[in-house]
Amino acid sequence: MNMVRWFQRSTDQPASSGDGSAQRSPERTWRRLTVGLSLGLALVIWSALAWQPVIAPDLQLGRPSPRDIQADRTVTYVSEWRTEQERARAESSADTVVYSRDMSIPIQQRAELKNLLQTITQIRDDPTLTKAQERERLTSLPNSTLIISPELASAIAGQTDESWALISTLSLELYDRALSENRYMLNDQKIAELRAFSLPYWASLQAETEAQAELIALFSGSFLKSNQFIDEEATQRRKQEVREAVRPVTVRILEGESIVRQGDVVTPDVLEKLEALGALRTKTNWMALGGKALLALLIAGIFGAYVAVAQHETLKETRPLLLVFSLMALTVIAARLVIPFGIQWTYAFPLALIALLLAALFNVGLSLMSVGILSVIIASLSDKQLATALILFLGSITGAFLIGRGERSLLFFISGLTIFFVTSLAQFAFHLIGGGLPALDQAMAILAVSGINGALSAILALGLYNLTGQIAGIVTPLRLMELAHPAQPLLRRLIREAPGTYYHSVAVGNLAESAAEAIGADALLLRVASYYHDIGKTIRPFFFTDNQSDRENVHDELDPLTSAQIIADHVREGRKMAIAAGLPSQIVDFISTHHGTSVIKYFYQRALQQHDTVNIEDYRYPGPRPRTREQGIMMLADTVEATVRSKFQAGSVISNREGNNGDARSREQGKTLEELVTAIIDERVRSGQLDECPLTLSDLARIRQAFITTLQGIYHPRVDYTPKTVASSDWQS
């Protein structure tokens, strides 16, 4: 209906630019607040992701551990220390050394050996030399490889010609054998082994005497020279290739695993495990902090965009918007504090509390989005354990589907029980996926933590339901049912001091409730608001026809302006009484808007008859006009009930049959019920009282029919069963 009236006004005169900017200003303020809250939530998320609990700050490398430390959760990480150990082991292998060889060296050394042996033979065969001169010539031979000492010269000179011929032949043969068995590649280590073991052994097998064997081993071994060299450049390349081929070592720490025992020396491996668990104070990783900040901005930004686009109408006020973001932030902080205690405590974390509160206070869509975002955050906090987040998410959304509007406490109990079952089944499912059924102690632990989760979620949600609703400025069904009880002080006063007004309020509640059900509005809110909408009449109850009964009308002695002010004051006084009694703001708004800014016509007409000029504004209710569908229904129900009741009491309502017959006398007596209800609704529409509430023409049609149906049940004509021969006064109705 407000759209229809807006269209009519827009065709009459163009809207001013100033009005448009005034209307857009609250919208801009709301969007700025949403952005600010999203940034605040991002800061909380980033703080939770960046902060790690320090449980072992006093451990030092190479010193004994002061206590036992166990893993508080399951963690998988890449071990830099173990990877470096594997790389060092691989590059230190003998296979990584690359050699080059010089084949000219063995040939040259053999030639020198042969030349020496031939020279010695020539000296021995020279007949002009005495033994002394022979020894002198041998010691003076210029050979850098083998220096012949006087003792060695005496041993050579003392050999017979046959013995020396055997020594010369075998020295060359053993030299060749040493090279062939080592594939003509000799290094210092191999030469040392040949000189110490192989050559003496081979010589002893072929020589005739021990002296011959010593000389053979000496000559053949002395001319062995290393021809194998390490290629430093190629070796370094080979070592680097081997290091790069080693795959990073992945270590998985299981929850409850012993990291270090008291008294054990702290090793680099222990420190690395504690660092992976976040149990050490380590140097700041700015890259990781930047990544976590980016992740936090993405999560909070997506949630803020969802609120701005999909929940704009639900969270258009500041208080509910603050409540939702505060609940998100507090949940993140609580999760950060609980998760370090272990995976079982994480399963017991009552994430479903948020789902229950948001679903009951607002809607299921907001609830699902919120717990979905929170599940992602919990997965990030618990070393990306997706199973944990999924288990909590499944339990939470089940509770959100069942809680409804939280009309009864039993719904919270049922939701908590369902959360327990779903969380338990989800944990069993992941155990089956992992390869088998859990052991008995594991099964009991699963049931225990799931029971804690369900119980905490239900109990806390029930306890916080009214509180969070009050913080958000939302009146909950439980609060409404409390307010509907006749023992409430204001209702007791209304019943005692203005009984006629009370019964009028009950009748208005019946009409309003039926109309709300017809268009899908909040029926419970309307019924309770109906009970309180006229409490201001308790200040001067006999100034209202509801409570005058057989009394004289006190307004007959008052001037119209005074009477109009007294009538209008019941709205102002009712608002003050409601605020003083602590009634929810929604109920207070119904008191202010149930007459809108309509004119008190009876006294306005009297004033026109008595005075030449009358200011119509002096005869209006203070308002404001209705702004919600429920407030619009209340205005219509209040007017319809009062008007129809007075018309029936005055006999001004005719039946449909009389109206359809077109009897002129009947038509003069009044209107039918349908015509009367239609006229009242049309008058409110024409006067502009419904311009600000979102009631459509279709809604008004359904409201009209609901009013007519309810009123026909109240004011239906009774059948006269009195016998013709008996007077009607002898029967009681």
Side-chain angles (χ1 to χ4, degrees), residues 73-89:
R73 64 184 188 277
T74 299
V75 174
T76 301
Y77 70 98
V78 175
S79 173
E80 295 182 3
W81 183 79
R82 293 193 183 188
T83 302
E84 184 59 32
Q85 293 291 103
E86 290 296 322
R87 289 171 177 169
R89 187 179 297 109

Side-chain angles (χ1 to χ4, degrees), residues 537-556:
K537 292 181 180 180
T538 57
I539 301 298
R540 302 180 184 89
F542 300 113
F543 282 79
F544 301 90
T545 57
D546 301 336
N547 308 300
Q548 289 178 353
S549 185
D550 295 332
R551 294 174 178 266
E552 294 182 357
N553 190 349
V554 295
H555 292 286
D556 294 339

Side-chain angles (χ1 to χ4, degrees), residues 151-186:
E151 291 80 7
L152 179 58
S154 299
I156 294 173
Q159 298 294 323
T160 63
D161 292 340
E162 293 80 4
S163 175
W164 175 249
L166 179 63
I167 290 172
S168 298
T169 302
L170 290 178
S171 295
L172 289 173
E173 290 180 357
L174 292 185
Y175 179 86
D176 293 338
R177 182 177 178 181
L179 286 173
S180 64
E181 290 198 1
N182 287 280
R183 298 180 180 180
Y184 292 88
M185 294 182 64
L186 295 178

Side-chain angles (χ1 to χ4, degrees), residues 18-53:
D19 292 341
S21 62
Q23 292 175 358
R24 288 192 298 270
S25 180
E27 181 69 17
R28 285 198 300 267
T29 302
W30 184 87
R31 292 190 180 278
R32 289 172 183 170
L33 178 61
T34 304
V35 171
L37 290 174
S38 299
L39 291 175
L41 179 61
L43 180 61
V44 172
I45 296 172
W46 175 75
S47 301
L49 293 174
W51 178 78
Q52 296 290 340

Side-chain angles (χ1 to χ4, degrees), residues 497-501 534 536-549 551-571 573 595 600 602-603 606 621:
E497 299 180 9
T501 299
D534 271 343
K537 292 181 180 180
T538 57
I539 301 298
R540 302 180 184 89
F542 300 113
F543 282 79
F544 301 90
T545 57
D546 301 336
N547 308 300
Q548 289 178 353
S549 185
R551 294 174 178 266
E552 294 182 357
N553 190 349
V554 295
H555 292 286
D556 294 339
E557 301 177 359
L558 300 175
D559 64 276
L561 180 59
T562 303
S563 296
Q565 290 176 347
I566 292 173
I567 296 299
D569 277 346
H570 89 273
V571 174
E573 298 296 337
H595 285 295
I600 307 173
Y602 177 78
F603 296 107
R606 284 184 55 187
Y621 285 100

Side-chain angles (χ1 to χ4, degrees), residues 423-444:
T423 305
S424 301
L425 292 176
Q427 291 185 67
F428 281 116
F430 277 102
H431 271 280
L432 293 176
I433 293 172
L437 288 171
L440 180 60
D441 57 339
Q442 291 178 320
M444 296 302 295

Side-chain angles (χ1 to χ4, degrees), residues 46 49-50 52 80 275 280-293:
W46 175 75
L49 293 174
Q52 296 290 340
E80 295 182 3
E275 184 176 353
L280 291 177
R281 290 193 180 100
T282 58
K283 60 183 181 181
T284 303
N285 187 341
W286 296 107
M287 292 292 289
L289 286 177
K292 291 175 180 179

